[in-house]
Amino acid sequence: MRISRVVLAVALVLGTAFAPVHAQSIEEGVNNLLEDLFGGGNSRQKPPRPGNPADADGPRRVPASQGEIQLSFAPLVKRTAPAVVNVYAARIVQQRSSPFQGDPFFEHFFGRNFGGPAKPRMEQSLGSGVIVDPSGLIVTNNHVIGNADEIKVALSDGEEFESTVVLRDERSDLAVLRIDAGRQLDYIELDDSDAVETGDLVLAIGNPFGVGQTVTSGIVSALARTRIGVSDFGFFIQTDASINPGNSGGALIAMSGRLIGINSAIFSRSGGSNGIGFAIPSNMVRAVLDQVRGGADAFERPYLGAEFSAVTAEIAESLGMRRPVGAIVRSIDPGSPADRAGLSVGDVVLSVDRHTIEHPDAIFYRLATAGPGRTVTFALLSRGKRLALDIRLEKAPESVPANETTITGSNPLAGASVANISPRILNRMNIRFRGDGVIVTDIRRGSPAMKFGFRPGDILVKINGTNIREVGDVAATVEDGKRSWSFEVNRGGRLIRQYFRG
């Protein structure tokens, strides 16, 4: 496994109805937030001073004696470690015998066998996983299994099993595997990650550097970390418990013995632990598992139909807010749940279901963990008024059938899967687009489409000058068998024109 020497390293193992607006129904926590942002009164109770008996917070307290300092984590490790497994992923790649092999230019003049036949080579990766159900459901990171051809799971005692992929979600970097051990397995129950606090003691269990199962201890360093850059997911638990390559997919355990996170990434200059690790909260894991148990093979996020931006210091000042917090509505899709509920451009979302929103990423996390079919309450600052708005979350509509099709034949798109564009497919791919075209949903490894540089999420607008409006247009165009090809592709909002010779 290669360890990237960049500042941020991914540890590679590491019926909707209109809801009325009601200004008087904001919960006490939201009122406190609004008072903090805008001022108004001294009625809020001051926090107790350190050492005051009122400062006691349930079972949390500092050690009171030397004997307590000498307490051991061993009983907790014995109870949880058997549910943490090793995940071995392998795939076969064709190693080029020449650096020019596969280059369309050289293949045009010298043929496809230029440089000699490609040689197969086995690539392997090692990560960790957590058994979360006695029947054999295992949660790990999506980047651990990658595009593996074979995935094996080894229990803590060394017993190995072939596994199948039940669900994988690239956006959250989570994957669910299943093994059949023929018996009930040790597993770890999920805790409520919203109850976790900065300073809580935690254990990280995994297989760093392939040396074998390892336990490290630390504390929760921070919560709701965003803009980590390892995936589209933006709501991590940060910990100083040592996490290294091989820990990805492993367990972050609370002192209750329950799972509060799946270790996912590290912040490192060398590839090793610098004391800053990130874990996906267990509430996100629970949302994925709920859909798996409902028979889903892909994680479906609810559709809101709104885009948000961060509240800058300048925006906060113009709105009379003491500090920049929340997410401001940038656009609304006509007819969407947000539109029907009464959300407006310029509204500032301060909380969702009483959870403070510090950044737009937090909104999408709260919606994903709520799931389609739930009604959530937004606390807003709307045109100078403080309001609460109920919005029922829906599945994204499929305005036209996806008709997902894999392109075959002798053409640059061979091996690409394409689908008709609808809100559901765009929501699944996390793409914002309005207009005509067909979206690339997948690229088969080693296919011509991959060699020619097409990517999932690309939107085909024109092929050989023909406007593309549906999957049938793509199929008809590539059947022409031309020797030269031109493409217009929308990639991330940028129009790219490409020309190839067959």
Side-chain angles (χ1 to χ4, degrees):
M1 179 182 311
R2 297 173 300 177
I3 303 175
S4 175
R5 295 180 177 271
V6 293
V7 174
L8 179 63
V10 176
L12 290 180
V13 283
L14 281 146
T16 295
F18 181 84
V21 176
H22 47 292
Q24 303 299 322
S25 64
I26 304 178
E27 299 286 345
E28 180 183 354
V30 177
N31 281 324
N32 290 343
L33 170 65
L34 292 172
E35 287 182 9
D36 181 47
L37 290 174
F38 299 99
N42 297 315
S43 59
R44 293 177 60 184
Q45 183 178 359
K46 294 182 180 180
R49 294 181 180 179
N52 190 309
D55 194 35
D57 185 12
R60 293 185 177 92
R61 61 184 179 87
V62 297
S65 66
Q66 184 175 354
E68 289 189 355
I69 293 175
Q70 294 174 340
L71 292 175
S72 173
F73 291 124
L76 182 60
V77 173
K78 288 178 182 178
R79 191 164 78 246
T80 57
V84 181
V85 301
N86 296 334
V87 178
Y88 302 92
R91 66 172 183 169
I92 299 175
V93 297
Q94 299 298 323
Q95 185 173 10
R96 296 177 179 179
S97 54
S98 165
F100 303 107
Q101 187 176 14
D103 188 291
F105 176 81
F106 284 92
E107 286 189 350
H108 173 68
F109 288 100
F110 302 104
R112 291 184 178 272
N113 293 323
F114 171 73
K119 300 177 181 179
R121 178 171 59 88
M122 181 72 76
E123 282 188 350
Q124 295 181 321
S125 66
L126 171 66
S128 304
V130 184
I131 303 174
V132 292
D133 190 282
S135 65
L137 279 182
I138 297 169
V139 175
T140 185
N141 285 138
N142 181 66
H143 75 256
V144 168
I145 63 173
N147 294 313
D149 298 312
E150 182 183 46
I151 304 171
K152 289 185 177 181
V153 170
L155 303 184
S156 59
D157 62 3
E159 188 177 7
E160 289 192 2
F161 299 92
E162 297 284 345
S163 72
T164 57
V165 178
V166 180
L167 180 150
R168 53 187 302 171
D169 184 62
E170 186 174 358
R171 288 173 61 182
S172 65
D173 195 24
L174 288 174
V176 180
L177 310 177
R178 185 185 294 278
I179 61 174
D180 183 8
R183 65 180 188 276
Q184 297 286 290
L185 297 172
D186 291 315
Y187 70 102
I188 302 178
E189 294 183 358
L190 272 60
D191 210 342
D192 179 9
S193 52
D194 285 334
V196 175
E197 296 185 14
T198 302
D200 283 354
L201 288 170
V202 291
L203 299 181
I205 308 178
N207 185 6
F209 300 109
V211 300
Q213 192 176 81
T214 301
V215 181
T216 57
S217 67
I219 64 169
V220 173
S221 308
L223 298 170
R225 286 302 197 202
T226 63
R227 304 299 179 188
I228 303 305
V230 297
S231 68
D232 289 334
F233 187 77
F235 206 83
F236 290 91
I237 297 172
Q238 181 180 321
T239 178
D240 70 346
S242 294
I243 296 174
N244 288 287
N247 275 108
S248 279
L252 190 66
I253 303 293
M255 293 300 99
S256 64
R258 295 186 176 185
L259 185 75
I260 61 168
I262 296 293
N263 299 321
S264 182
I266 60 173
F267 189 91
S268 175
R269 296 182 184 275
S270 63
S273 174
N274 282 349
I276 302 179
F278 302 98
I280 300 168
S282 57
N283 284 357
M284 186 67 202
V285 177
R286 179 180 284 106
V288 172
L289 287 174
D290 285 346
Q291 293 198 19
V292 166
R293 289 167 176 146
D297 58 1
F299 182 64
E300 186 164 11
R301 291 165 174 79
Y303 172 64
L304 183 65
E307 280 191 300
F308 301 88
S309 296
V311 175
T312 63
E314 292 78 11
I315 292 175
E317 183 178 2
S318 69
L319 296 173
M321 299 166 63
R322 292 180 176 175
R323 59 188 177 93
V325 67
I328 189 167
V329 180
R330 190 173 65 197
S331 66
I332 300 285
D333 294 340
S336 65
D339 183 37
R340 294 197 300 271
L343 198 65
S344 302
V345 173
D347 289 350
V348 178
V349 180
L350 301 175
S351 75
V352 175
D353 281 348
R354 304 186 305 280
H355 297 292
T356 303
I357 300 299
E358 297 283 350
H359 191 276
D361 287 345
I363 292 181
F364 299 110
Y365 170 76
R366 294 300 172 189
L367 299 184
T369 53
R374 287 278 306 279
T375 297
V376 295
T377 301
F378 279 35
L380 308 171
L381 176 65
S382 180
R383 296 174 179 84
K385 297 181 180 179
R386 307 169 191 182
L387 306 173
L389 185 69
D390 291 336
I391 302 178
R392 182 173 174 80
L393 304 178
E394 300 178 353
K395 291 184 178 181
E398 191 172 52
S399 52
V400 294
N403 192 22
E404 197 162 356
T405 302
T406 300
I407 304 300
T408 58
S410 180
N411 60 78
L413 278 175
S417 296
V418 297
N420 293 322
I421 292 176
S422 68
R424 176 165 294 184
I425 202 78
L426 292 176
N427 190 51
R428 188 184 102 190
M429 301 291 295
N430 195 28
I431 300 291
R432 298 290 297 183
F433 178 77
R434 291 180 182 176
D436 293 329
V438 166
I439 189 168
V440 177
T441 58
D442 192 28
I443 302 288
R444 192 177 69 244
R445 184 157 44 89
S447 66
M450 175 172 281
K451 293 179 181 178
F452 280 99
F454 291 99
R455 304 177 188 173
D458 284 350
I459 295 175
L460 306 175
V461 180
K462 284 187 179 182
I463 301 178
N464 291 338
T466 301
N467 291 325
I468 303 299
R469 291 183 171 84
E470 59 181 29
V471 169
D473 296 336
V474 178
T477 305
V478 298
E479 285 178 356
D480 291 343
K482 295 181 179 294
R483 298 290 295 173
S484 62
W485 301 85
S486 67
F487 294 87
E488 287 189 16
V489 178
N490 185 296
R491 179 177 293 168
R494 187 164 58 97
L495 192 63
I496 300 173
R497 293 180 173 87
Q498 296 176 301
Y499 302 90
F500 305 113
R501 292 187 64 83

